[in-house]
Amino acid sequence: MKIVVEIVDVIDTAKVYTELNHVESGGICVFVGTVREFTNQEQVIALEFETYRDMALKEMEKIADTAIEKWNLNKVVLRHAVGEKGVAEPVVIVGASSAHRDACFEACRFLIDTLKETVPIWKKEKFKNKSVWVSAHP
Amino acid sequence: MNVLFFGIAKDIVGSSEILFSDEEAKPATVAALKKDLIKNYPEFLKLKTLAVAVNSEYANDDVTLSGNDEIAIIPPVSGG
């Protein structure tokens, strides 16, 4: 399988090396997004993610296909978590594997940037006394 | 016609799903659906963007809607 696209409850960051390893690859690049404790000096208790799953998986597959074509990748992983995630927990992991490192570095940036722009996943920041849907308002 | 709501859109309408019965007047296009939504829930005007998906694909304003489509209201996404 060249592409792994998943929405899961818990992300196992250790698994990704095996998923991206490939005999024709000389480089693997991985990005992990995690829950940061402070947003604008305000303490975050947790992030809560929800998704429109069918559409999200379709959009994630499109991103993987585009990246494979553009950078001639051997393997691609896009995996996002849903549900409530505490500080320092992983919420998203994307990675690419290619013959040389330039391709996988560039592809990895494209994977996470495009995921954040197009994939229907929503994040709510939970603070002590309120919760806010991220980026909903200008 | 079945309309799904996610994220802040769900909070605005107070439900994750609205089902139009066969007898009810239904919006004919994505643009008409957005117009109806904004009329009934002006809060949608305050959002950064408001997208619509028809059968789990992003749909432009001129896309026509039919009775058995699955329609979703997509407020600004914020994954990652």
Side-chain angles (χ1 to χ4, degrees), chain A residues 2 4 16 19-20 27-32 64 67 73 75-79 92-98 104 107-109 111-112:
Chain A
K2 201 165 190 173
V4 178
V16 77
E19 289 169 332
L20 289 173
I28 291 173
C29 193
V30 174
F31 172 84
V32 184
L73 306 172
K75 294 267 192 81
V76 170
V77 170
L78 288 137
R79 180 177 287 118
V92 63
I93 187 162
V94 299
S97 149
S98 55
C104 64
C108 194
R109 167 129 220 158
L111 295 175
I112 186 63

Side-chain angles (χ1 to χ4, degrees), chain A residues 21-56:
Chain A
N21 205 2
H22 190 277
V23 290
E24 287 167 33
S25 288
I28 291 173
C29 193
V30 174
F31 172 84
V32 184
T34 57
V35 180
R36 186 179 53 237
E37 190 177 12
F38 283 91
T39 293
N40 304 323
Q41 284 100 49
E42 245 187 306
Q43 193 172 15
V44 173
I45 309 297
L47 296 181
E48 191 167 332
F49 291 88
E50 68 169 59
T51 185
Y52 179 16
R53 188 181 289 265
D54 291 353
M55 183 178 173

Side-chain angles (χ1 to χ4, degrees), chain A residues 33 49-55 58-59 62 80 91-92 112 115-124 133-138, chain B residues 4-11 43 46-49 52-58 70-80:
Chain A
F49 291 88
E50 68 169 59
T51 185
Y52 179 16
R53 188 181 289 265
D54 291 353
M55 183 178 173
K58 266 200 214 178
E59 291 295 322
K62 283 183 203 168
H80 206 293
V91 300
V92 63
I112 186 63
L115 180 149
K116 287 174 85 88
E117 275 170 28
T118 64
V119 178
I121 294 174
W122 297 273
K123 162 168 63 194
K124 194 187 240 180
W133 288 107
V134 176
S135 303
H137 297 104
Chain B
L4 307 174
F5 296 87
F6 296 95
I8 196 167
K10 190 172 67 179
D11 291 353
E43 282 285 304
K46 295 183 189 161
L47 300 185
K48 201 191 279 173
T49 59
V52 171
V54 178
N55 301 323
S56 63
E57 295 281 349
Y58 282 108
E70 180 176 277
I71 295 153
I73 305 305
I74 312 286
V77 298
S78 53

